[in-house]
Amino acid sequence: MDAGLAAVIAGASGAGGAALAAWATGRAMVRQVYAQAESGFEERLRERRQEAYADLLSACDVAYDAIEPVVELATHNELGSDERRERWRAVNQALTAAQRATRAVSVVGPGDVARRGLAMYEALHALVDVWRIIPEPPFDQRLIAHSRANEAWEEAGTAYMKRVEQIMQTFEHH
């Protein structure tokens, strides 16, 4: 074999090896970019879910706390209609905020958490509705209905929290 042909073969082999190495490096870089993008997406999703889940809990707590003065009013029946309207206005505003938070949870999902969040909101709304009933049933019947609605609210909240904890733990294991 002459020296020129050997040089051409060596050059071609070197160029082929360099091309193969460049291709492999490029593929590795592409995989790394995809992995980083996926990791960034999962981190943003985790943060958004955590925020939405917590917002729903907070909004429901505010609404739950807002009903207490209405119950107190019904128990003592000492306040005039203006005070009654103000207390109901606070309840209605809190329920609206809870409904918005429920929608946010339905957007970030997953679906089973959204359904549990909606069930929690609906249980809260049912608790509030016990005190909206017109004409008013006897007070003892209303207290019994309140107790049952409160149990349903607590069960729905517990189911929601358990599922939220499971979802958030899945992010910790990635």
Side-chain angles (χ1 to χ4, degrees):
M1 178 192 290
D2 84 349
L5 181 59
V8 168
I9 292 173
S13 295
L20 183 60
W23 177 81
T25 301
R27 294 286 300 163
M29 290 175 65
V30 167
R31 278 194 299 267
Q32 183 179 3
V33 166
Y34 279 124
Q36 287 173 343
E38 185 176 310
S39 174
F41 172 77
E42 285 197 14
E43 179 64 21
R44 287 188 305 278
L45 178 61
R46 182 191 67 75
E47 289 170 1
R48 183 64 186 116
R49 281 182 174 172
Q50 186 174 16
E51 180 182 315
Y53 298 163
D55 287 350
L56 177 55
L57 287 170
S58 295
C60 284
D61 284 344
V62 169
Y64 185 84
D65 291 345
I67 194 63
E68 288 182 29
V70 171
V71 173
E72 180 182 313
L73 175 67
T75 304
H76 301 334
N77 206 8
E78 298 174 355
L79 302 174
S81 60
D82 288 342
E83 182 65 26
R84 184 180 312 247
R85 274 192 296 277
E86 280 304 309
R87 289 184 181 192
W88 275 109
R89 185 174 293 121
V91 170
N92 292 331
Q93 288 173 343
L95 281 175
T96 299
Q99 184 180 38
R100 285 187 188 119
T102 301
R103 288 182 189 143
V105 168
S106 72
V107 169
V108 297
D112 62 331
V113 174
R115 285 187 295 279
R116 286 189 174 121
L118 180 59
M120 183 174 66
Y121 168 77
E122 288 174 345
L124 176 63
H125 209 290
L127 177 66
V128 169
D129 286 345
V130 166
W131 299 98
R132 287 190 206 271
I133 300 170
I134 298 175
E136 294 181 7
F139 191 71
D140 59 336
Q141 289 178 5
R142 193 174 273 207
L143 287 178
I144 291 168
H146 176 86
S147 177
R148 289 181 182 145
N150 197 57
E151 280 181 32
W153 149 251
E154 289 176 2
E155 287 174 11
T158 299
Y160 173 77
M161 279 303 302
K162 282 182 181 178
R163 187 61 184 128
V164 164
E165 288 172 359
Q166 290 171 343
I167 293 297
M168 297 312 294
Q169 287 174 358
T170 62
F171 285 105
E172 294 172 6
H173 295 98
H174 280 107

